Amino acid sequence: MFSAPIENNSARVICEDKLTRAFNQIGYKFEVSLMPAKRALLMSNNGTTNGEVARIGGLDKDYPNLIQVNESCYSHLVYFYVKSGKEFTVDGWGSIPADYLLGYRKGMKYIEFASEKYPFKLYSIDNLDQSLQMLMFDRIDLLVGSTSLFKALSKQADISGVVRLEPAVEKHMFYPYIHKKHSHLLPELTAKLAEVNSL
């Protein structure tokens, strides 16, 4: 059983499909338990689940019981989104205006990592479904995410007044992580995942 954030995002869906095929080829059934993002990482790191489906690279520094599989299963670009009239020139994380409040979901590690390097203000959102409404009603000034995430959110809110700023702020590669107690599976899993990626 692997853990994954509960949101139905493209990274998780695509990586889950690829891992199901890769694990089947090495003789294991692959199952996923969905939970809040932060809890998912804690559960996989403490060995309650066997790993993570799809996370950005480098999390093994903070979660030492997890081993990053060195074959990516998904990639995407992330952009800043603002309400029309609040645009700014994008030149990385450091270009966020000092008075802007960035809404984000706890456990989004790439945002937390960026906030450690740059002095922008964060506002924690429990439910991303509400984030676009918060943006439109000026409770937050800025969101960050992939185009697929915003397409999913747009089904629940009117985004006609939301502007995607160019260029992308980051490109993310997503990797599975496996608990160290299953490290013996790593070479075969990596090879099979590479085969699945090549199809």
Side-chain angles (χ1 to χ4, degrees), residues 78-89:
V78 293
Y79 297 86
F80 292 138
Y81 292 81
V82 297
K83 185 178 175 181
S84 180
K86 300 198 90 170
E87 295 92 335
F88 59 91
T89 301

Side-chain angles (χ1 to χ4, degrees), residues 46-60:
N46 71 23
T48 305
T49 59
N50 297 317
E52 283 286 313
V53 173
R55 295 284 186 156
I56 61 169
L59 292 184
D60 42 350

Side-chain angles (χ1 to χ4, degrees), residues 10-22:
S10 296
R12 195 258 301 164
V13 171
I14 291 170
C15 290
E16 183 178 337
D17 176 63
K18 289 181 177 182
L19 287 169
T20 298
R21 287 186 276 156

